[in-house]
Amino acid sequence: MTLRINSTAPDFKADTTQGPIEFHKWIGDGWAILFSHPKDFTPVCTTELGYMARLKPEFDKRNTKIVGLSVDPVTNHSKWAKDIEETQGAAVTYPMIGDPELKVATLYDMLPEGAGTTSEGRTAADNATVRSVFIIGPDKKIKAMLTYPMGSGRNFDEVLRLLDSIQLTARHQVATPVNWKNGEDVIIVPAVSDEQAKAKFPNGWRAIKPYLRIVPQPK
């Protein structure tokens, strides 16, 4: 299955470090971030999982659940979590999905169909493409996807910034400009006419070009 933005996030059942989940039911009526890893006990991923553990309160504020995935059994994840807490200074309090049969990795197009049905004997290099982040909305649609190479640690501050942008633009008819950060000015989307904009933004806007109208971020 080829996934794109606005595709329905595939539903699945899986074991996690916090018990079995049905993914769509687990998401509920909020947002979710699924981020994947090619193997347990890998150095870059250890730093990433620890950083996400420290960021979890920020995602909680945004009504967003986070869940990690690695193509190894849950029993391995529990051992790895101890290393993560020891080396990164943060306990992993979000669930980590076990995917030893590669079902979720294949379902989310992170591995080809011919990858087989077991993580046994596979190395991180074999699973190098299992390095993705999916932001999923309450409607269970994929809102954004990021994929990193195995040697480059992901920027989860950017994932948080992207989530802020997606949630804001879902509520208001605005877009966020380059390098935007929460609280900065935004752009009125072209689909909103000037007449409509007067009602939506009664304090006015700054028109750099007819198609480039800058307005303070809506509350």
Side-chain angles (χ1 to χ4, degrees):
M1 178 189 296
T2 300
L3 297 179
R4 297 180 176 88
I5 290 174
N6 291 327
S7 295
T8 297
D11 197 13
F12 59 85
K13 296 179 181 179
D15 289 329
T16 80
T17 51
Q18 296 181 6
I21 63 168
E22 294 181 39
F23 191 50
H24 282 191
K25 287 184 180 179
W26 177 81
I27 294 173
D29 59 2
W31 294 70
I33 292 177
L34 169 66
F35 61 108
S36 62
H37 307 272
K39 196 75 180 167
D40 288 7
F41 305 103
T42 49
V44 173
C45 297
T46 298
T47 65
E48 292 176 337
L49 287 157
Y51 194 77
M52 280 297 267
R54 294 197 295 276
L55 271 185
K56 185 177 181 297
E58 292 299 322
F59 289 106
D60 291 342
K61 291 176 189 175
R62 292 158 173 82
N63 192 29
T64 301
K65 294 179 176 180
I66 60 176
V67 59
L69 175 145
S70 182
V71 292
D72 276 318
V74 167
T75 50
N76 286 15
H77 294 358
S78 299
K79 296 172 186 175
W80 189 20
K82 294 177 182 177
D83 282 2
I84 294 164
E85 182 174 8
E86 177 188 343
T87 62
Q88 306 303 308
V92 178
T93 58
Y94 52 84
M96 295 167 63
I97 295 167
D99 193 26
E101 297 179 351
L102 311 180
K103 290 180 178 179
V104 182
T106 304
L107 189 63
Y108 273 74
D109 198 29
M110 294 182 280
L111 284 174
E113 293 288 341
T117 58
T118 179
S119 62
E120 188 69 30
R122 293 177 66 88
T123 67
D126 295 329
N127 305 326
T129 52
V130 188
R131 290 272 296 150
S132 296
V133 180
F134 298 89
I135 298 180
I136 300 164
D139 58 358
K140 313 304 183 289
K141 302 283 188 183
I142 294 172
K143 305 302 181 182
M145 299 182 292
L146 302 167
T147 301
Y148 278 59
M150 202 164 59
S152 301
R154 285 170 276 195
N155 185 335
F156 286 110
D157 290 333
E158 164 59 12
V159 174
L160 190 64
R161 187 200 74 89
L162 178 58
L163 176 66
D164 282 339
S165 173
I166 292 169
Q167 290 187 336
L168 176 68
T169 58
R171 294 192 302 268
H172 303 281
Q173 289 183 299
V174 298
T176 57
V178 62
N179 295 334
W180 172 88
K181 294 179 182 177
N182 197 12
E184 295 179 348
D185 290 351
V186 297
I187 298 168
I188 302 171
V189 297
V192 175
S193 69
D194 283 350
E195 285 302 311
Q196 292 170 323
K198 288 176 184 177
K200 290 180 176 294
F201 309 103
N203 293 326
W205 59 87
R206 179 164 51 96
I208 299 173
K209 293 286 185 180
Y211 60 84
L212 184 52
R213 297 167 294 173
I214 306 299
V215 68
Q217 177 179 319
K219 302 296 183 185

